[in-house]
Coordinates of all heavy atoms in Angstrom, one line a residue:
M43 N 17.8 12.7 3.3 CA 19.0 13.4 2.6 C 20.2 12.6 2.7 O 21.1 12.9 1.9 CB 19.1 14.8 3.2 CG 17.9 15.7 2.8 SD 18.2 17.5 3.3 CE 17.9 17.4 5.0
R71 N 14.7 24.5 5.5 CA 16.0 24.9 5.0 C 17.2 24.7 5.9 O 18.3 24.4 5.5 CB 15.9 26.5 4.6 CG 15.1 26.7 3.4 CD 14.9 28.2 3.0 NE 14.1 28.9 4.0 CZ 14.3 30.1 4.4 NH1 15.3 30.8 3.9 NH2 13.5 30.7 5.3
L72 N 17.0 24.9 7.2 CA 18.0 24.6 8.2 C 18.3 23.1 8.1 O 19.6 22.8 8.2 CB 17.5 24.9 9.6 CG 17.6 26.4 10.0 CD1 16.9 26.5 11.4 CD2 19.0 26.8 10.0
A73 N 17.3 22.3 8.0 CA 17.8 20.8 7.8 C 18.5 20.5 6.7 O 19.5 19.8 6.7 CB 16.4 19.9 7.7
C74 N 18.3 21.2 5.5 CA 19.1 21.1 4.3 C 20.5 21.5 4.5 O 21.5 20.9 4.2 CB 18.5 21.8 3.1 SG 16.9 21.1 2.5
E75 N 20.6 22.6 5.3 CA 21.9 23.3 5.5 C 22.7 22.3 6.5 O 23.9 22.0 6.2 CB 21.7 24.7 6.2 CG 23.0 25.4 6.5 CD 22.8 26.8 7.0 OE1 21.9 27.5 6.3 OE2 23.2 27.1 8.1
W76 N 22.1 21.8 7.5 CA 22.8 21.0 8.5 C 23.2 19.7 7.8 O 24.2 19.0 8.2 CB 21.9 20.7 9.6 CG 21.6 21.9 10.5 CD1 22.4 23.1 10.6 CD2 20.5 22.0 11.4 NE1 21.7 23.9 11.5 CE2 20.7 23.3 12.1 CE3 19.3 21.3 11.7 CZ2 19.6 23.8 12.9 CZ3 18.4 21.7 12.6 CH2 18.7 23.0 13.3
A77 N 22.5 19.2 6.9 CA 22.8 17.9 6.1 C 23.7 18.1 5.0 O 24.1 17.1 4.4 CB 21.5 17.2 5.7
G78 N 24.0 19.4 4.7 CA 25.0 19.6 3.6 C 24.2 19.3 2.2 O 24.9 18.9 1.2
R79 N 22.8 19.6 2.2 CA 22.1 19.3 1.0 C 21.4 20.7 0.6 O 20.2 20.7 0.2 CB 21.0 18.2 1.3 CG 21.7 16.8 1.4 CD 22.4 16.3 0.2 NE 21.7 16.4 -1.0 CZ 20.9 15.3 -1.4 NH1 20.8 14.3 -0.7 NH2 20.2 15.6 -2.6
D80 N 22.1 21.6 0.3 CA 21.6 22.9 -0.2 C 21.2 22.8 -1.7 O 20.6 23.7 -2.2 CB 22.6 24.1 0.0 CG 22.8 24.5 1.5 OD1 21.9 24.2 2.3 OD2 23.9 24.9 1.8
D81 N 21.5 21.7 -2.2 CA 21.0 21.5 -3.6 C 19.5 21.2 -3.7 O 18.9 21.3 -4.8 CB 21.7 20.2 -4.2 CG 21.6 18.9 -3.4 OD1 21.9 19.0 -2.2 OD2 21.1 18.0 -4.0
I82 N 18.8 21.0 -2.6 CA 17.5 20.6 -2.6 C 16.6 21.9 -2.4 O 16.8 22.5 -1.4 CB 17.1 19.6 -1.5 CG1 17.9 18.3 -1.7 CG2 15.6 19.3 -1.5 CD1 17.8 17.3 -0.5
P83 N 15.8 22.2 -3.4 CA 15.0 23.4 -3.2 C 13.9 23.3 -2.2 O 13.3 22.2 -2.1 CB 14.5 23.7 -4.6 CG 14.4 22.3 -5.2 CD 15.6 21.6 -4.7
V84 N 13.5 24.3 -1.5 CA 12.4 24.3 -0.5 C 11.4 25.3 -1.0 O 11.7 26.6 -1.1 CB 12.9 24.6 0.9 CG1 11.8 24.6 1.9 CG2 14.0 23.6 1.4
P116 N 18.5 30.4 8.1 CA 19.4 29.7 7.1 C 20.0 30.5 6.1 O 19.6 31.6 5.8 CB 18.5 28.7 6.5 CG 17.1 29.3 6.7 CD 17.1 30.1 7.9
K117 N 21.1 30.0 5.5 CA 21.8 30.8 4.5 C 21.1 30.8 3.2 O 21.1 31.8 2.5 CB 23.2 30.2 4.3 CG 24.1 30.2 5.5 CD 25.5 29.5 5.3 CE 26.3 29.5 6.5 NZ 27.5 28.6 6.4
A118 N 20.5 29.7 2.8 CA 19.8 29.6 1.6 C 18.4 30.1 1.7 O 17.7 30.0 2.6 CB 19.8 28.1 1.1
P119 N 18.0 30.9 0.6 CA 16.6 31.3 0.6 C 15.6 30.4 0.1 O 16.1 29.2 -0.4 CB 16.7 32.5 -0.6 CG 17.7 32.0 -1.4 CD 18.8 31.3 -0.6

Side-chain angles (χ1 to χ4, degrees):
M43 290 188 286
R71 287 179 289 146
L72 279 175
C74 291
E75 184 176 304
W76 291 337
R79 291 299 306 272
D80 290 330
D81 58 301
I82 300 172
V84 177
K117 296 173 185 176

